[in-house]
């Protein structure tokens, strides 16, 4: 269980990831008004690195994005838009590690700073093999946006691991 507890009204979520999604959907021709409908968010919110939003605001924004795109699988696309800079200093610290394992340990250890919605753990030596796994759990009940959040996290993790390892297939099983 997490040692960092919050509820859906606490403004603890950085606007970085929603901002990437917001800008990506604007580039696809989605109107800002449809993305921000029924939220207290504005376009300026996504450029303020110090701003934190609640899960309630985040959830409505995600609902709006999925509805505006009419794409239940939008999370898979979104995850592929993420890159090393998406993790900020955590990503750059991971890149400076000498091994993939130490990179993954760095990401797992500090991930909650960048993405407090998730609990990430590195599991090593699965079934007496040299394989490692990243275990991703919800820090709060994702409810009706679970599929979007988990698919974007999985897609993003695969994209980042492919970058770090310079290999196309980094996911062996889910």
């Amino acid at each position: 269980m997490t040692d960092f507890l919050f509820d859906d009204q606490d403004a603890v979520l950085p606007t970085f990831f929603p901002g990437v999604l917001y800008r990506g959907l604007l580039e696809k021709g989605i109107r800002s008004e449809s993305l921000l409908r029924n939220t207290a968010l504005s376009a300026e919110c996504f450029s303020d690195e110090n701003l934190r939003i609640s899960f309630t605001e985040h959830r409505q924004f995600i609902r709006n994005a999925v509805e505006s795109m009419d794409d239940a699988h939008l999370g898979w696309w979104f995850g592929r838009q993420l890159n090393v800079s998406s993790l900020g200093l955590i990503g750059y610290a991971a890149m400076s590690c000498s091994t993939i394992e130490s990179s993954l340990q760095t990401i797992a250890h500090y991930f909650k700073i960048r993405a407090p919605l998730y609990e990430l753990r590195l599991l090593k030596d699965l079934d007496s093999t040299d394989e490692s796994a990243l275990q991703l759990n919800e820090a709060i009940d994702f409810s009706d946006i679970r599929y979007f959040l988990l698919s974007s996290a999985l897609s993003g993790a695969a994209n980042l691991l492919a970058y770090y390892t310079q290999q196309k297939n980094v996911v062996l099983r889910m």
Side-chain angles (χ1 to χ4, degrees):
M1 201 63 192
T2 183
D3 54 357
F4 179 70
L5 300 175
F6 59 93
D7 68 30
D8 59 351
Q9 297 300 316
D10 293 331
V12 298
L13 305 178
T15 57
F16 181 82
F17 289 115
V20 171
L21 179 60
Y22 177 78
R23 289 182 292 278
L25 294 180
L26 290 180
E27 289 176 12
K28 287 183 153 297
I30 302 300
R31 293 184 27 204
S32 179
E33 297 79 26
S34 65
L35 295 171
L36 303 177
R37 187 181 66 253
N38 298 323
T39 73
L41 302 175
S42 67
E44 294 75 32
C45 291
F46 300 116
S47 58
D48 183 351
E49 292 184 20
N50 296 313
L51 182 68
R52 301 291 184 257
I53 63 174
S54 71
F55 182 67
T56 299
E57 291 294 325
H58 185 68
R59 181 179 353 179
Q60 185 60 50
F61 172 72
I62 298 302
R63 288 175 182 154
N64 293 346
V66 171
E67 181 182 314
S68 295
M69 283 297 293
D70 192 25
D71 183 359
H73 306 294
L74 182 62
W76 294 105
W77 170 83
F78 176 59
R80 289 189 303 273
Q81 310 313 301
L82 304 177
N83 55 40
V84 173
S85 66
S86 300
L87 292 177
L89 292 176
I90 299 165
Y92 296 114
M95 282 179 52
S96 70
C97 294
S98 60
T99 66
I100 296 295
E101 183 179 326
S102 60
S103 292
L104 292 176
Q105 286 172 334
T106 299
I107 291 170
H109 186 75
Y110 294 105
F111 191 67
K112 188 159 284 297
I113 294 169
R114 193 64 154 172
L117 287 178
Y118 303 97
E119 295 174 357
L120 187 64
R121 288 184 37 210
L122 177 63
L123 308 174
K124 299 184 298 184
D125 300 325
L126 306 174
D127 302 324
S128 301
T129 67
D130 288 335
E131 293 177 4
S132 294
L134 290 173
Q135 179 181 347
L136 188 70
N137 295 315
E138 302 173 27
I140 191 170
D141 181 12
F142 288 171
S143 182
D144 61 330
I145 62 169
R146 179 175 288 114
Y147 180 69
F148 175 89
L149 291 176
L150 292 179
S151 62
S152 63
L154 290 172
S155 178
N159 193 39
L160 291 171
L161 288 172
Y163 173 82
Y164 286 131
T165 63
Q166 297 297 302
Q167 295 178 16
K168 252 186 160 174
N169 260 338
V170 294
V171 178
L172 300 178
R173 61 181 177 250
M174 284 193 223

